[in-house]
Amino acid sequence: MTDRVYPSTKQATNGTAATAAANNPSFPATKAQLYGASRPLYRPQANRRHRYRRSGCCSCCLWTTVAILVLILLAAIAGAILYVLYRPHRPTFTVSSLKVSTLNITSASKLITNINLNVTAKNPNKKLVYTYDPTTITLFTNDDIDIGDGSFGAFVHGTKNTTLLKATITSNQDLDDTSAGKLKTALKSKNGLPLKIKLDTKVKAKMGALKTPKLGIRVTCEGIKVTAPTGKSATTASTSNAKCKVDLRIKIWKWTF
């Protein structure tokens, strides 16, 4: 008997592998492939510092707003309590008399005045005491022509008190031709020259042991009519229709309200 010879599978396999290797030759990996395989993917992360800063700023603004609102609420409550306890009222002012000794315009447009002014101040409060700084007085026409200036001294205005304030208003100033002409025409009128009085001062209030800071006030009086004296005797102004109003003057930096 003769032996059969079977073809080897290894040879076929080796031949197939050789054919595949010939068809797909292997090359060494490039640097880009090597680096790309070892380098992790870049993933941008959120900046936590910016988040912390934003949250800190928001918290600060929130607490500042809350603190301001609380202070405003406490101030409103304190004001309401003071109003209920003391029932504060503004002081009142009236023009008692105004006597003109001199009111003359020379040929050189110079204004010479000498006027005596009496003002009555009343404090209607039972528990409030007002303390006034010196008061400046300005007398002027409806056309804002300055007639003269004066002042009241400082004084303390007690509870339920009436104080008579006296001052002398004088002037010796040069007027421009327009103002001098208007003033001469107004003085010749039979109805008299309408005047206004402006009082500026600062005042603080005392309520028991509590004292307020000084606040500016302005008193404006209107409805006054004067005539110039013709001889040596002074003339008395008409003050029956005079009315005075009191306004607070609050100054914030360069502005006054």
Side-chain angles (χ1 to χ4, degrees):
M1 294 179 65
T2 59
D3 296 333
R4 295 181 179 179
V5 179
Y6 297 96
S8 176
T9 58
K10 293 182 179 180
Q11 292 178 358
T13 305
N14 292 336
T16 305
T19 304
N23 295 331
N24 298 318
S26 61
F27 297 99
T30 62
K31 292 183 179 181
Q33 291 175 345
L34 290 174
Y35 291 155
S38 60
R39 182 183 297 176
L41 294 176
Y42 174 73
R43 295 178 180 179
Q45 297 180 358
N47 196 338
R48 296 182 178 180
R49 292 183 179 179
H50 290 298
R51 289 184 179 180
Y52 292 151
R53 289 177 181 176
R54 290 178 182 176
S55 61
C57 290
C58 293
S59 300
C60 182
C61 292
L62 177 62
W63 285 111
T64 302
T65 304
V66 171
I68 292 174
L69 292 176
V70 171
L71 290 176
I72 293 174
L73 179 61
L74 292 176
I77 294 172
I81 293 173
L82 290 176
Y83 180 80
V84 172
L85 291 177
Y86 295 100
R87 298 285 181 177
H89 296 282
R90 291 184 181 184
T92 60
F93 295 83
T94 55
V95 179
S96 303
S97 67
L98 191 149
K99 293 184 178 182
V100 181
S101 300
T102 305
L103 182 54
N104 184 31
I105 302 175
T106 65
S107 58
S109 298
K110 176 171 286 189
L111 175 63
I112 301 173
T113 58
N114 189 350
I115 300 172
N116 294 322
L117 173 66
N118 291 346
V119 173
T120 302
K122 293 182 179 180
N123 180 8
N125 298 282
K126 296 180 179 179
K127 299 180 180 180
L128 267 72
V129 176
Y130 292 113
T131 302
Y132 293 87
D133 283 357
T135 304
T136 60
I137 307 169
T138 304
L139 191 65
F140 57 98
T141 66
N142 290 341
D143 296 324
D144 292 332
I145 301 174
D146 190 356
I147 299 298
D149 304 300
S151 64
F152 294 131
F155 67 100
V156 177
H157 213 180
T159 59
K160 288 291 184 178
N161 179 263
T162 300
T163 302
L164 181 62
L165 306 173
K166 297 181 179 181
T168 300
I169 299 173
T170 59
S171 176
N172 190 352
Q173 60 178 329
D174 293 325
L175 299 177
D176 58 85
D177 294 338
T178 303
S179 298
K182 289 182 179 180
L183 194 55
K184 286 180 180 179
T185 303
L187 287 173
K188 294 177 182 179
S189 175
K190 295 180 180 180
N191 296 326
L193 173 65
L195 293 181
K196 297 179 182 179
I197 299 175
K198 182 174 64 178
L199 311 176
D200 287 314
T201 186
K202 289 185 178 180
V203 61
K204 63 180 179 181
K206 181 180 178 183
M207 299 167 284
L210 180 63
K211 294 181 180 180
T212 65
K214 289 183 179 181
L215 294 175
I217 64 169
R218 170 170 289 179
V219 183
T220 306
C221 302
E222 300 180 357
I224 305 167
K225 292 184 178 182
V226 301
T227 56
T230 55
K232 295 182 179 180
S233 60
T235 59
T236 302
S238 173
T239 58
S240 57
N241 296 325
K243 294 182 180 180
C244 301
K245 65 176 182 177
V246 182
D247 297 314
L248 286 176
R249 303 282 290 173
I250 300 174
K251 186 175 182 180
I252 301 176
W253 195 27
K254 295 181 180 180
W255 296 277
T256 303
F257 303 92

